[in-house]
Amino acid sequence: MPFPIHRLRRLRATEALRDLVRETRLDPKQFILPLFACPGEGVKREIGAMPGNYQMSVDEIVKECAEVYSLGIGGVILFGLPESKDEMASGAYDDDGIVQRAIRAIRAETPKLLVSTDLCNCEYTSHGHCGFIKDGVVDNDITLEWLAKSAVSHARAGAHMVAPSDMMDGRVAAIRKALDAAGFETTPIMAYAAKFASVFYGPFREAAESTPQFGDRRGYQMDPANGREAMREIELDIEEGADIVMVKPALPYLDLISQARARFDVPIAAYQVSGEYSMIMAAARNGWIDHDRAMIETLTSITRAGAGIILTYFAKPAARLLA
Ligand code: PBG
């Protein structure tokens, strides 16, 4: 007869007791803040659906990164808005491309801040798809060559880690091989391993100006219905050499974060994506939900599910609140 011997409310009675028995704690070191680099100088344009997030020119990104570092945040991940886009995504692997310039500038100013880069082509192609279009579809193997070149170019500019988000088959192996051949065998790969074709990327595509001009991404990103296939994607990426694997989006896929944590002994990351952020911001601005509590509850849930690393647009306000 458990009751009245056991009363679980005993340990909930005071703040001190709750603090003592809390199972999941957040640390700003586990957050990675996504940043959008754009051309120009002194540019800081707020993204409509993502208040508090901006398209920033390199000089502004450098200032932002100094602040990110001073807040004790784990690192940043860079996305680029190139001067011009073309069929070959040439801005992605140009040593003088927007992300490459941003990396060099950040590294010079804030050398200890972890700088990772998103490896994808959708921001650089004129059609907004994540690779080379052949017969109306994204050609997997040609796209691998672009990704490999971009990874080496980012590493050469000083990136600490590269994160492929394209969902081509075999990209981790191709990137690993190219990095090693160029002498970057110590540069880790954080693979967007289980990345779903999600409606929640909507605001990001405004931020990164990467909406596909025809069709959608369902021919390469995963079907939100498929959890077993997600485990296969993760397993293959680990076999190909991924150092960290990611589940994306986060909140609608907590089951998969948790399964991945139980099955694989590599660090697990989760991406709380733009739409997840926008929904909370919109509700908070309407007075319908408490911003800080929604932020902390979602970040805590993602951590409790098993993600040790969270890519989140809340990195700065969350770090301030946790300080
Ligand atoms: C690039 C990429 C996307 C996101 C991260 N990398 C967009 C997409 O796949 O369409 C989404 C991130 C977000 O929504 O915050 N392919």
Side-chain angles (χ1 to χ4, degrees):
M1 220 202 359
F3 181 84
I5 305 296
H6 295 290
R7 290 178 182 269
L8 297 189
R9 288 184 55 189
R10 276 185 208 121
L11 294 180
R12 294 176 202 150
T14 67
E15 188 74 41
L17 280 167
R18 291 192 294 271
D19 283 346
L20 188 71
V21 300
R22 183 158 301 122
E23 297 176 29
T24 307
R25 292 176 204 278
L26 294 175
D27 181 340
K29 287 280 172 225
Q30 77 190 99
F31 303 143
I32 295 181
L33 177 66
L35 294 175
F36 302 95
C38 71
E41 235 191 278
V43 182
K44 191 168 176 185
R45 258 191 313 268
E46 194 164 41
I47 299 153
M50 301 170 70
N53 288 269
Y54 304 83
Q55 295 177 340
M56 279 177 281
S57 51
V58 170
D59 55 320
E60 291 292 330
I61 289 234
V62 166
K63 285 191 235 163
E64 179 81 359
C65 284
E67 191 192 352
V68 166
Y69 183 70
S70 73
L71 286 167
I73 292 166
V76 295
I77 182 162
L78 301 178
F79 296 87
L81 291 95
E83 270 93 5
S84 64
K85 306 179 187 234
D86 58 33
E87 303 269 285
M88 301 301 287
S90 34
Y93 41 85
D94 176 355
D95 279 342
D96 201 32
I98 183 74
V99 164
Q100 287 82 349
R101 277 181 276 145
I103 300 166
R104 284 194 291 267
I106 299 165
R107 291 301 318 279
E109 205 65 36
T110 316
K112 286 195 190 147
L113 177 71
L114 178 87
V115 177
S116 39
T117 59
D118 181 86
L119 282 185
C120 194
N121 301 300
C122 59
E123 298 119 66
Y124 304 92
T125 52
S126 37
H127 44 70
H129 275 289
C130 299
F132 179 66
I133 299 289
K134 198 165 133 190
D135 305 325
V137 297
V138 175
D139 183 86
N140 195 85
D141 299 13
I142 292 175
T143 303
L144 294 185
E145 292 167 26
W146 297 359
L147 292 165
K149 281 195 284 186
S150 301
V152 172
S153 172
H154 290 175
R156 210 184 283 135
H160 295 108
M161 177 159 79
V162 294
S165 69
D166 51 284
M167 290 304 278
M168 296 304 118
D169 289 319
R171 78 264 165 86
V172 174
I175 291 164
R176 185 71 274 153
K177 192 166 153 226
L179 285 172
D180 290 1
F184 297 108
E185 63 280 341
T186 59
T187 303
I189 299 173
M190 174 167 69
Y192 288 67
K195 174 171 175 176
F196 291 87
S198 172
V199 70
F200 297 109
Y201 307 153
F204 170 94
R205 291 179 188 170
E206 175 203 330
E209 298 174 5
S210 65
T211 307
Q213 301 303 302
F214 62 90
D216 53 44
R217 302 209 203 292
R218 285 182 288 186
Y220 40 103
Q221 298 180 350
M222 290 189 61
D223 181 342
N226 292 2
R228 287 191 292 271
E229 188 187 343
M231 295 305 116
R232 293 190 66 202
E233 281 284 4
I234 293 171
E235 191 166 25
L236 285 168
D237 278 6
I238 294 171
E239 278 172 22
E240 288 180 29
D243 300 281
I244 299 172
V245 292
M246 192 199 301
V247 175
K248 178 188 175 189
L251 213 56
Y253 299 89
L254 290 183
D255 57 329
L256 303 181
I257 295 172
S258 153
Q259 281 179 41
R261 178 65 295 153
R263 282 168 75 145
F264 305 108
D265 290 324
V266 297
I268 308 278
Y271 199 143
Q272 183 177 43
V273 302
S274 55
E276 298 181 69
Y277 176 81
S278 298
M279 287 193 297
I280 293 173
M281 292 304 286
R285 291 199 157 194
N286 266 301
W288 295 338
I289 204 168
D290 182 85
H291 172 280
D292 288 356
R293 289 185 56 202
M295 169 176 80
I296 295 298
E297 187 171 332
T298 52
L299 291 169
T300 301
S301 300
I302 296 162
T303 307
R304 189 199 62 236
I309 302 164
I310 306 177
L311 289 78
T312 176
Y313 301 98
F314 285 119
K316 279 172 40 179
R320 279 200 200 96
L321 202 70
L322 293 168

